[in-house]
Amino acid sequence: MNASSGSPGGSNPEYVTARVRARRGVLFDDDEYSKLVRMGPAEIARYMEESEYEREINELGSRHSGVDLIEYSLNRNLARHFDALLGFAEGQLYDLIARYLRKFDAWNVKTVLRGVYTDADSEAIETDMIRAGEFDDALITRLLEAGTVEDVVSLLDGTIFGDGLEAAFEDFQETDTLVPLENAVDRAFYEQLLSDLPSGEAVGLYREFLEAEIDFRNVRNALRLARSGADIDPGAYFIDGGRLFSASEMTTLVENTDELVTRIRESRYGKKLSEPLDELEAADSLIDFERALEGVLLRYSKQLGNVHPLSICPVVAYILMKEREVTNIRAIARGREAGLSETAIEQELVIL
């Protein structure tokens, strides 16, 4: 993927929106998730073979089986669909989609960092890689061959993540936690995403969505830091571009989770997050709260897509919905393989 390519002329939102609408129509619905939860991995793979995952299941079936077959098929299908989006789009719309899809470069960087940090083998790391961003296969192969975190940082020199990772590496060495590096990746991604956005009402709403995504990312990172006990100034790795709080406020709020929750309740997201915040306070479960944040962001993107159907908004909504499908199917397959109960697996899903 090359963000500078695409037609130099105007965008073609009518065509892209029509193609996206057709793809949304074949996404798994909640009834299908209910069926999958009752299946074993082999049954799930057979079910996928009769769906729009048929091509990937057939291509990979001779090399993989069980959960591995499901995961490789999910990731390859995701990459195929998102590459297709770029094939449909032209001009400014192409550029906006390409920039947003760099989120998978960020995902892959963090996946490799975590894998190398935990001494996972390269095959296990590759299972979680999603080749839907700008990184070419050669760079991904080199990243998978990296032996140390420092090697990973060196390989990314010259990418949008290079400078931030280099600056955060010293903090990583001092704290022996990946938080500084992971936050540096997020900051680089959102910085390029928000820079030089074109004007117009539709793009203004898209910016509003990105601000919400950044706010939620900052909230999640703040809560993770609060729970980790790591001696890291969260303000130093605050992602600029949101509207909920400043870097200095974040530093203070991390030390007082109750105050942080109150601040979210009083924000423009308070009504949307009321129930998840109740659950966070009651169950003290950060994972459940993060899942609720994903659901809120997904609903928000769909609303914006309905308001401005001929813009980047419905495309981003589809990207998030497709991600959600892949994440849910993966969670079901892994849960069934691990012998989790249907109830436990259902709690892992993002269901709207």
Side-chain angles (χ1 to χ4, degrees), residues 1 16 20 23 27 52-53 56 74-89 94 97-98 100-105 130-134 314-326:
M1 184 184 80
V16 174
V20 164
R23 277 162 168 68
L27 291 171
E52 71 104 29
Y53 289 93
E56 285 75 22
L74 288 170
N75 289 347
R76 182 178 287 192
N77 179 275
L78 190 76
R80 175 165 66 87
H81 278 283
F82 293 165
D83 280 345
L85 286 179
L86 292 170
F88 305 149
Y94 176 100
I97 295 170
Y100 192 76
L101 288 176
R102 286 185 185 137
K103 70 187 297 181
F104 296 104
D105 292 330
I130 300 173
R131 299 175 188 242
E134 205 165 36
V315 181
V316 169
Y318 166 71
I319 290 170
L320 292 181
M321 291 166 73
K322 183 66 178 175
E323 279 187 89
R324 169 226 183 194
E325 175 178 276
V326 166

Side-chain angles (χ1 to χ4, degrees), residues 20-52:
V20 164
R21 191 180 298 117
R23 277 162 168 68
R24 280 178 62 166
V26 298
L27 291 171
F28 282 23
D29 59 27
D30 294 349
D31 289 340
E32 288 176 288
Y33 293 135
S34 297
K35 291 177 187 174
L36 292 176
V37 165
R38 295 192 289 273
M39 299 179 187
E43 291 175 284
I44 294 171
R46 281 196 295 273
Y47 189 91
M48 289 171 65
E49 190 178 7
E50 295 173 6
S51 74
E52 71 104 29

Side-chain angles (χ1 to χ4, degrees), residues 216 290-300 350-352:
F216 290 1
E290 289 184 7
R291 201 170 295 117
L293 284 179
E294 290 174 28
V296 170
L297 200 62
L298 187 54
R299 281 190 288 271
Y300 193 23
V350 177
I351 302 290
L352 298 184

Side-chain angles (χ1 to χ4, degrees), residues 107-222:
W107 165 272
N108 288 337
V109 171
K110 288 187 282 187
T111 297
V112 171
L113 286 170
R114 289 167 193 158
V116 172
Y117 182 72
T118 58
D119 291 324
D121 64 70
S122 61
E123 191 173 322
I125 299 170
E126 188 176 10
T127 304
D128 286 334
M129 301 286 271
I130 300 173
R131 299 175 188 242
E134 205 165 36
F135 288 180
D136 60 24
D137 287 344
L139 176 55
I140 289 177
T141 298
R142 290 198 300 275
L143 288 170
L144 288 168
E145 293 169 349
T148 66
V149 169
E150 188 170 11
D151 289 343
V152 176
V153 172
S154 297
L155 283 167
L156 292 165
D157 183 38
T159 70
I160 63 169
F161 307 107
D163 291 345
L165 284 171
E166 187 179 346
F169 186 70
E170 188 177 332
D171 279 353
F172 160 71
Q173 290 179 304
E174 289 176 2
T175 61
D176 194 31
T177 171
L178 289 176
V179 171
L181 295 174
E182 292 183 337
N183 280 14
V185 170
D186 288 338
R187 291 173 85 185
F189 168 66
Y190 286 109
E191 189 175 296
Q192 64 86 32
L193 202 55
L194 287 168
S195 65
D196 302 320
L197 278 178
S199 58
E201 185 183 354
V203 176
L205 283 173
Y206 174 53
R207 179 185 288 275
E208 193 177 297
F209 163 77
L210 295 179
E211 289 168 352
E213 192 168 287
I214 291 169
D215 280 334
F216 290 1
R217 178 78 55 163
N218 278 328
V219 166
R220 193 193 70 182
N221 288 347

